Amino acid sequence: MGFDVFPPAFVLLIAAALIGLVRGHARTAVILIAPLLTLWAIWQIPDGVQSTVKFLSYNIEPVEGSPLRRLFATVFAIMVFVGGLYSFRIAKWYELAAAFAYAAGAIGVCFAGDLITLFLYWEMMAIFSTIVVWCGGTPGARAAGIRYAIMHLLGGVILKVGIEGVVVGTGSIQIQAMLATDFSTWMILIGILINAAAPPVSAWLSDAYPESSPTGSVFLSAFTTKTAVLALILLFPGEPILIGLGLFMVMYGIIYALLENDVRRILAYSIVNQVGFMVVAVGIGTEMALNGAAAHAFAHIVYKALLFMSAGVVIYRTGKNKCIELGGLFRTMPVTAVCGIIGALAISSFPLTSGFTTKSMISQAAVDGNLMWVYMALTAASAGVFLHAGIKFPWFVFFQRDSGLRPKDAPWNMSLAMILFAGLCILLGVFPELLYALLPYPVNYEPYSIGKVLFYLQLLLFSGLAFFVLLPLMKRTMTISLDTDWLWRRVAFSLLKLVEKVLDFMGELLAQQRHRLQQFMHRMAVRYLGQPHTADSKERGMFARSWPIGTTALWIAGLLSAYVLLYYF
């Protein structure tokens, strides 16, 4: 059976090809219309497997619908539309083509009904996201892109090993819930967690995203880590190890974001922090928790892209990306500042924003599961999020001291893209039922109880007070914060130098042995073959002398006899 439903990912793949073929207004039309067509195609897919393709002895299922899959695909399509609107006037055509193909891979993962299809789209994402990183156009972007590609190809190999093990062990390629109980399932889990930027293999995210272009980082912030969250929900709901790992990601992201000076590295570490909340929810594994993970992934894509858009406009207009180089920009960039503040409030779970109505679901799932230590840790983490993303980012970029910079505000298309996502953050905060209706399980949750609102307001108030009390400690300098990227910055470099020394030593040793061998061969040549023209036959080499005819005949007879014996026996 062939394709009964046209895969939505193909719409974006066709658009990616057309972006390179057409010019001018036709290209703009492709960039803006293709995501809307993709969104329409997403909502044409009913629940269940919609297409099957025979491959070897397996039934490949390229399109399988479900509420969870449509939810992730929907926000991905919205992200492509708003990202295209934000980028089309300044991004290079090949960056946009790569970004659309990257998004196609993410939407393909959403509807993949089997492990083979999931893996193929997974690797498509790795390839085209690497190209997006390289489109940053700097030496740093090229180096970061290589490291990014290495990590994701390594993760792909690990995932493939796990998939092959599961297929061999069970004979099935179906996507179904499992637990990490053997080598194969552990390999699948590790492969997914690499894409989720789980420590200790998370440095690829903070290393690569800030090196991309201001437009490229907007696309990069949306797809890779969230497809990993979707894969965890589909494959490992209720996996206990994810609770501890998610909490570690939450705290790890906060600490490194507080240490950072680069505005996009702050936001990159914040991605790790926010994905940690989702990983915790998947580990809890209840319907409330999985709803919370899916809803928070939706909200996170919107407000994180908004924050990267705001930072991107600042970098585009000023050419600066360090906190110590910025400040006072609200005077001439009011739209960018207001949208950035809305994104910062949303990520901090401020009431009446989308972050509050989604992140609080995860905390409630921890309470319902009698996991009070998880609830307390997530509460403390929420205060930390407000410190690094809710206050630090807008304060150092738009307020603090007057840097003397007076850049123009965002171009109209960038402003419109930011306003759309800022409005969506508020819309989903004021009317959360619009998002709750799309979640995979029925929602029986009311976020706006008086107790919850007062608790979060108090938490954020004291976090803000702590920030300004500790403001002298929050100021950054021109330093570099190393985490596990120290391994390739220092350890790998030292190992390569050691290998170089070993190879040099072996080369010298081989050269010496080669010289000795040459001398030995020369002596043997002189002894047996040398001096054929000397008058005294006794001074000639053994095989350079004149031999009597009898001796020669004896040699020939002996060699012939040996040949006959070897041939017949």
Side-chain angles (χ1 to χ4, degrees):
M1 190 166 69
F3 292 115
D4 297 330
V5 175
F6 191 74
F10 285 13
V11 178
L12 288 182
L13 281 177
I14 294 170
L18 289 176
I19 288 171
L21 297 175
V22 299
R23 298 288 186 272
H25 294 302
R27 177 182 293 167
T28 303
V30 170
I31 292 169
L32 298 179
I33 293 174
L36 300 178
L37 292 176
T38 303
L39 185 60
W40 175 83
I42 288 167
W43 283 93
Q44 303 310 303
I45 298 177
D47 292 349
V49 176
Q50 304 302 316
S51 60
T52 304
V53 178
K54 195 72 174 178
F55 176 72
L56 300 178
S57 59
Y58 303 111
N59 289 323
I60 305 298
E61 299 171 353
V63 180
E64 179 180 349
S66 72
L68 177 66
R69 295 168 183 271
R70 279 192 297 274
L71 175 71
F72 275 83
T74 296
V75 72
F76 288 159
I78 295 172
M79 177 65 237
V80 178
F81 172 76
V82 178
L85 174 63
Y86 177 85
S87 306
F88 79 91
R89 294 183 66 192
I90 65 171
K92 303 177 182 67
W93 70 265
Y94 45 85
E95 180 182 65
L96 286 169
F100 272 54
Y102 173 34
I107 292 177
V109 169
C110 291
F111 291 112
D114 62 90
L115 294 171
I116 294 176
T117 303
L118 182 144
F119 175 77
L120 292 176
Y121 282 119
W122 198 269
E123 292 304 282
M124 180 191 297
M125 290 173 55
I127 293 169
F128 288 104
S129 58
T130 300
I131 296 173
V132 173
V133 175
W134 278 333
C135 288
T138 64
R142 289 191 290 272
I146 291 172
R147 293 190 292 269
Y148 180 95
I150 290 171
M151 287 303 302
H152 283 277
L153 293 176
L154 173 63
V157 169
I158 294 173
L159 178 64
K160 185 173 183 293
V161 168
I163 290 173
E164 290 178 349
V166 168
V167 172
V168 170
T170 66
S172 172
I173 60 172
Q174 297 301 305
I175 292 178
Q176 53 193 347
M178 62 182 75
L179 293 174
T181 56
D182 55 28
F183 176 80
S184 299
T185 51
W186 270 108
M187 289 297 99
I188 292 178
L189 180 59
I190 292 171
I192 295 172
L193 289 175
I194 289 175
N195 266 30
V201 287
S202 60
W204 62 262
L205 192 153
S206 57
D207 182 49
Y209 287 12
E211 296 293 344
S212 61
S213 71
T215 53
S217 59
V218 173
F219 288 100
L220 290 168
S221 70
F223 302 118
T224 300
T225 51
K226 263 58 76 183
T227 52
V229 170
L230 172 61
L232 289 175
I233 295 174
L234 292 172
L235 293 170
F236 292 97
E239 172 57 54
I241 196 172
L242 294 179
I243 297 177
L245 180 61
L247 289 175
F248 182 76
M249 292 175 68
V250 168
M251 301 305 176
Y252 163 93
I254 291 172
I255 292 171
Y256 272 95
L258 288 172
L259 293 173
E260 265 304 326
N261 185 22
D262 186 297
V263 293
R264 286 193 294 176
R265 282 178 70 88
I266 293 172
L267 300 178
Y269 278 115
S270 182
I271 292 176
V272 179
N273 160 263
Q274 293 295 293
V275 172
F277 280 90
M278 304 169 209
V279 171
V280 169
V282 177
I284 295 173
T286 62
E287 290 187 357
M288 171 70 83
L290 296 179
N291 274 343
H296 198 51
F298 191 107
H300 175 262
I301 288 172
V302 174
Y303 63 63
K304 183 58 67 176
L306 177 58
L307 288 167
F308 269 101
M309 287 178 187
S310 179
V313 172
V314 170
I315 295 170
Y316 172 64
R317 287 303 198 193
T318 68
K320 301 181 184 299
N321 59 1
K322 303 294 184 184
C323 290
I324 60 174
E325 300 172 332
L326 299 168
L329 301 184
F330 74 95
R331 294 177 176 87
T332 57
M333 306 181 74
V335 173
T336 303
V338 170
C339 290
I341 291 170
I342 292 174
L345 292 175
I347 195 175
S348 304
S349 302
F350 198 86
L352 302 182
T353 66
S354 57
F356 177 81
T357 57
T358 58
K359 191 185 297 181
S360 60
M361 293 182 72
I362 300 174
S363 297
Q364 185 62 48
V367 172
D368 293 344
N370 295 319
L371 299 170
M372 293 307 299
W373 63 279
V374 176
Y375 171 77
M376 296 303 295
L378 293 179
T379 301
S382 296
V385 172
F386 190 51
L387 281 176
H388 77 262
I391 300 182
K392 179 181 176 179
F393 168 72
W395 173 257
F396 282 110
V397 174
F398 299 110
F399 300 102
Q400 63 154 346
R401 62 180 180 83
D402 185 358
S403 62
L405 300 172
R406 296 293 184 269
K408 293 181 180 180
D409 210 338
W412 71 266
N413 63 302
M414 290 181 160
S415 295
L416 180 56
M418 290 189 293
I419 290 170
L420 287 174
F421 266 2
L424 190 55
C425 286
I426 296 173
L427 179 67
L428 297 180
V430 177
F431 302 105
E433 60 273 9
L434 296 175
L435 178 57
Y436 292 170
L438 304 178
L439 296 178
Y441 302 104
V443 177
N444 183 21
Y445 174 67
E446 175 53 53
Y448 287 110
S449 66
I450 295 177
K452 285 191 183 74
V453 172
L454 289 177
F455 175 77
Y456 271 89
L457 287 176
Q458 290 173 347
L459 183 69
L460 298 177
L461 175 64
F462 282 104
S463 297
L465 178 63
F467 177 85
F468 288 105
V469 169
L470 301 174
L471 187 58
L473 299 177
M474 296 291 178
K475 293 181 178 178
R476 297 292 92 208
T477 59
M478 293 297 287
T479 56
I480 297 175
S481 299
L482 294 178
D483 56 46
T484 52
D485 60 349
W486 176 81
L487 293 173
W488 60 70
R489 291 179 183 269
R490 302 293 298 178
V491 176
F493 179 77
S494 299
L495 288 175
L496 288 175
K497 296 296 289 185
L498 178 61
V499 170
E500 182 182 1
K501 290 181 180 179
V502 171
L503 291 177
D504 288 342
F505 173 75
M506 293 180 63
E508 293 177 1
L509 186 62
L510 289 173
Q512 293 174 0
Q513 296 301 321
R514 184 186 64 183
H515 181 65
R516 292 176 182 174
L517 181 61
Q518 288 175 338
Q519 291 179 331
F520 173 77
M521 295 298 293
H522 177 73
R523 289 195 301 269
M524 293 299 101
V526 170
R527 179 176 179 181
Y528 292 103
L529 303 174
Q531 301 176 343
H533 302 297
T534 183
D536 189 354
S537 63
K538 293 182 179 180
E539 296 180 3
R540 299 175 186 171
M542 180 181 296
F543 295 108
R545 301 173 188 170
S546 297
W547 289 56
I549 188 65
T551 304
T552 303
L554 184 61
W555 272 104
I556 293 173
L559 291 172
L560 182 60
S561 300
Y563 173 78
V564 171
L565 289 172
L566 290 173
Y567 183 81
Y568 287 102
F569 296 100

